[in-house]
Amino acid sequence: MILHTLLDYDTLRVIWWVLLGVLLIGFAVMDGFDLGTGMLLPFLGKNDVERRVIINAVGPTWEGNQVWLILGGGAIFAAWPQLYAVSFSGFYLAMFVILIGLILRPVAFKYRSKNESRAWRNGWDWALFAGGFIPTLICGVALGNVLQGVPFRLTPELFIHYDGSFFGLLNPFAILTGLVSVAMLTMHGAAWLGIKTEGAVAQRARTVGSIAAILTAVLFVLAGVVLWKFVDGYAITSAVNTTGPSNPLFKTAAHMPGAWMANYSKYPWTMAAPVLGIVGCIIAAVLMRARKEGWAMIFSGLGIAGIILTVGASMFPVILPSTVDPRFSLTVWDSSSSHMTLFIMLVCTVIFLPIILAYTTWVYRVLWGKVDEKQIREGSGHAY
């Protein structure tokens, strides 16, 4: 209880905002290369053996990597219940489409090699492509809509009403951020295949990955310029009570041109995030060309982290803005769970997150090594 007293409510709110970012980065980096590999499968594998090499490069670990998605959803539910309520109800159809894509993956992994028919296997290969492309694109589109604001409102009793539609999410800026997401995870999947495969597959992965890395940097810069010039941000215009109750209606806020760029002037060190996103992708492209696969994977991950951190740095302290009335927007200071809930969840995270990281490290160490065509042809050392 002494520690609970030392950790002020406002401190815990910031800690959980940071942890949410960490979990989103963990999902994008760890499950991202699985999704990227799925998107690359029909294009990098020129025959059945090569496609099985690609599948087995992620086959042993893809299920475990989805733990980060579960952790992210659980963190939103426990720490930011109003954010969970708006996003999982307002984006219900988008979430359902993502779920369909994620369901396709395990079915395709399990059933692809059950029949030797070329049409059968080709169909499941495209299912794996869809299982990677759909969640990647929709997550990027969702992020673009978050930056523009979401059409939701709150009643005096804090009941949430979402006034938007699924097709309303498919606007030009959101599609641009969706393309950033697709290029980003294509880069990451190619970097992973450079580590796990050899020969023609690895060479194609390096070529495609380096192009995707440069494209990611270009699209990321383009999205930043569009955000700066054409998308109004949100800013709190009343006094901020960082330890007050979680009630968004206790503040006033407004749309402001260029508001998403204000933190970079106020806190110059936050410029490290977009710089990391751009430089990480460019260095990853160079390293892939130079056949430095391990370092390429590291800088690909750093590029992803920089892109996600840029969104957080731009929006803080806003978490989810409302286009209906800026006053309804959810912020770090007025949409969290209680002080005690955040503290208990932090204790659980401090205990269990290191265990997850240790177990994940052990699994990758045990399963380390390249997948080659000889293993596939001999029917040994592969699961799919």
Side-chain angles (χ1 to χ4, degrees), residues 190-210:
W192 177 251
L193 288 176
I195 293 176
K196 292 291 290 182
T197 65
E198 54 190 13
V201 172
Q203 181 57 44
R204 293 184 202 117
R206 285 189 288 267
T207 301
V208 173
S210 59

Side-chain angles (χ1 to χ4, degrees), residues 182-352:
V182 170
M184 179 177 75
L185 296 194
T186 299
M187 166 190 70
H188 205 47
W192 177 251
L193 288 176
I195 293 176
K196 292 291 290 182
T197 65
E198 54 190 13
V201 172
Q203 181 57 44
R204 293 184 202 117
R206 285 189 288 267
T207 301
V208 173
S210 59
I211 295 172
I214 297 299
L215 184 60
T216 301
V218 171
L219 290 173
F220 176 52
V221 172
L222 178 60
V225 172
V226 173
L227 183 71
W228 176 29
K229 294 294 186 179
F230 302 105
V231 179
D232 289 348
Y234 291 73
I236 301 173
T237 56
S238 60
V240 177
N241 183 1
T242 60
T243 58
S246 290
N247 189 334
L249 301 181
F250 287 174
K251 69 173 182 305
T252 58
H255 299 270
M256 290 187 180
W260 288 151
M261 302 298 160
N263 281 340
Y264 298 112
S265 299
K266 188 176 181 181
Y267 309 106
W269 56 269
T270 57
M271 281 298 300
V275 169
L276 180 62
I278 297 168
V279 174
C281 293
I282 293 174
I283 294 178
V286 173
L287 291 170
M288 282 188 230
R289 287 288 186 176
R291 300 192 176 191
K292 303 292 185 181
E293 291 87 359
W295 284 107
M297 187 72 182
I298 290 172
F299 276 93
S300 175
L302 290 174
I304 291 172
I307 290 171
I308 295 175
L309 288 172
T310 298
V311 177
S314 299
M315 294 184 64
F316 183 84
V318 179
I319 296 179
L320 188 65
S322 169
T323 58
V324 176
D325 185 337
R327 185 170 59 105
F328 299 148
S329 300
L330 307 181
T331 74
V332 170
W333 314 121
D334 60 22
S335 60
S336 71
S337 293
S338 68
H339 190 180
M340 180 60 73
T341 299
L342 294 181
F343 175 74
I344 293 173
M345 290 297 299
L346 180 61
V347 171
C348 293
T349 301
V350 169
I351 294 172
F352 290 107

Side-chain angles (χ1 to χ4, degrees), residues 115-123:
N115 190 314
E116 295 186 2
S117 166
R118 182 176 180 178
W120 171 272
R121 293 187 174 187
N122 190 58

Side-chain angles (χ1 to χ4, degrees), residues 35 40 79 146 221 317 339 358:
L35 297 170
L40 290 169
V146 168
V221 172
H339 190 180

